[in-house]
Amino acid sequence: MSVELPARLRSATVPSHGILEGTRVLRRLPDGVEERPYELFTVRPLGRVIGAEIGGVDLAEPLTPALREELNRALLEWKVLFFRDQDITPAQQRAFAAHWGELETNPFIPQGDTEHVTRFARSASAPAFENIWHVDVTFRPNPALGSVLRLIEVPPLGGDTLWADMAAAYDNLPEDVRARIDGLTAVHDFIPGFARFSDPDFLARHQDAFPPVEHPVVRTHPETGRRTLFVNQAFTTHIVGLDRDESDRLLRYLFSRAHIPELQVRFAWRPGSVAFWDNRATQHYAVNDYHPHARVAERVAIAGDRPF
């Protein structure tokens, strides 16, 4: 990771684990997969490697097998899909998500009025705490496959959400770092992500139900086969087998990979907007810049499998 300076230049200290300028590897599709057109809807890319707006799909209507298959192909290609002008109920949102598997809820987030729908109601009296790069529920043995998020009340300014492509993040790691982390596992725990904003007694009641779990630092996406960086600042506590200082240094560097703008997409919400993301391939960040205005959203999460 060190940078060697030509002999004619004065000596200088260059950080060994920084975000260096230069060309990025911007690979959207797995090797060997060719880009194909979509026949049942339009696709408007919002980012180079991640994020596309889908047109011509009404989420209030049941999906045909062909439409579900094509949307899944788009999800694997773009990692997060955006739908505008969707007038849907929580039950219809849940029905759409259920096309991708069993649904799950998060015991640390308030439930909405419909089963399997969690509600994020943010205001001056209930500040947001999702403004950190994270992957949902990696403290579970089987983290979520993905989520469908619908904004109910949109602030007049701000409240965007960003996603980062963590397969592209892995592609852009230096070779020595990839060699260092391949085969390593890391511990994930719900405590760091919720301790600063939740009642300690409430969290203590859930400790036995949610013990720390280990996941690979680099997971393999079960559908695309791509290698994906799978540690996140909200829930990853340390890397197994490394002393604390070395683990902290390496994790700080790996966490920072989500911060690279070329690997991100930023979405400005409007009433009727819906986002559907692949939790196996991305991290996301909810921008907390809209207070004292309210921001209310409802989310349906799809159960996933054990990372490998």
Side-chain angles (χ1 to χ4, degrees):
M1 289 295 296
S2 61
V3 177
E4 294 187 7
L5 300 176
R8 62 181 179 276
L9 295 179
R10 64 176 178 269
S11 61
T13 300
V14 178
S16 61
H17 284 81
I19 298 177
L20 301 179
E21 68 276 18
T23 303
R24 308 288 185 202
V25 179
L26 300 178
R27 182 167 63 104
R28 189 174 71 250
L29 294 167
D31 289 338
V33 175
E34 295 185 1
E35 190 169 356
R36 292 185 288 150
Y38 292 92
E39 299 179 355
L40 300 178
F41 47 77
T42 62
V43 176
R44 185 172 75 89
L46 301 185
R48 177 69 183 273
V49 295
I50 181 172
E53 190 171 299
I54 304 299
V57 174
D58 184 354
L59 300 185
E61 298 294 329
L63 300 186
T64 64
L67 180 54
R68 189 272 179 200
E69 181 180 355
E70 196 159 272
L71 282 171
N72 190 65
R73 178 161 66 88
L75 179 69
L76 298 178
E77 177 178 358
W78 293 101
K79 297 87 181 179
V80 54
L81 306 180
F82 304 109
F83 304 84
R84 296 286 193 187
D85 303 318
Q86 300 291 326
D87 183 15
I88 60 173
T89 66
Q92 291 167 331
Q93 179 183 359
R94 183 181 63 185
F96 172 78
H99 284 280
W100 275 264
E102 294 184 8
L103 306 181
E104 65 178 25
T105 55
N106 188 324
F108 309 110
I109 298 174
Q111 301 302 297
D113 297 329
T114 304
E115 185 181 11
H116 293 120
V117 178
T118 55
R119 188 175 181 89
F120 299 84
R122 305 304 183 206
S123 65
S125 60
F129 54 84
E130 301 89 7
N131 58 331
I132 186 173
W133 284 103
H134 65 285
V135 181
D136 289 335
V137 297
T138 61
F139 54 83
R140 282 182 156 154
N142 294 3
L145 177 154
S147 290
V148 179
L149 185 68
R150 175 174 62 99
L151 263 286
I152 298 170
E153 186 172 350
V154 180
L157 183 66
D160 295 354
T161 305
L162 292 87
W163 284 263
D165 181 344
M166 300 314 293
Y170 177 77
D171 289 344
N172 282 275
L173 290 173
E175 290 185 10
D176 62 325
V177 176
R178 289 202 299 267
R180 178 76 180 92
I181 64 177
D182 282 351
L184 294 180
T185 62
V187 173
H188 297 243
D189 193 339
F190 77 89
I191 296 292
F194 293 99
R196 289 184 295 130
F197 307 98
S198 302
D199 176 67
D201 292 335
F202 170 77
L203 297 179
R205 291 196 296 270
H206 288 82
Q207 286 189 120
D208 291 341
F210 294 97
V213 298
E214 289 185 25
H215 295 308
V217 172
V218 181
R219 73 173 294 178
T220 301
H221 194 288
E223 295 189 72
T224 68
R226 290 190 70 177
R227 303 282 280 162
T228 301
L229 188 59
F230 199 65
V231 293
N232 72 95
Q233 196 169 349
F235 302 120
T236 307
T237 61
H238 62 281
I239 296 176
V240 177
L242 303 185
D243 65 51
R244 175 58 69 174
D245 287 344
E246 183 180 6
S247 172
D248 286 351
R249 285 195 302 272
L250 183 53
L251 283 176
R252 277 196 298 270
Y253 174 72
L254 298 177
F255 294 157
S256 73
R257 301 302 89 187
H259 301 178
I260 300 173
E262 290 94 329
L263 312 185
Q264 300 172 357
V265 63
R266 181 170 183 148
F267 187 64
W269 295 94
R270 297 198 305 256
S273 297
V274 173
F276 175 27
W277 69 90
D278 188 340
N279 197 56
R280 305 163 296 184
T282 63
Q283 292 192 30
H284 57 284
Y285 183 112
V287 180
N288 184 6
D289 61 351
Y290 49 88
H291 295 295
H293 300 287
R295 181 182 187 273
V296 180
E298 289 191 336
R299 186 182 75 188
V300 178
I302 305 154
D305 56 6
R306 186 80 188 228
F308 62 91

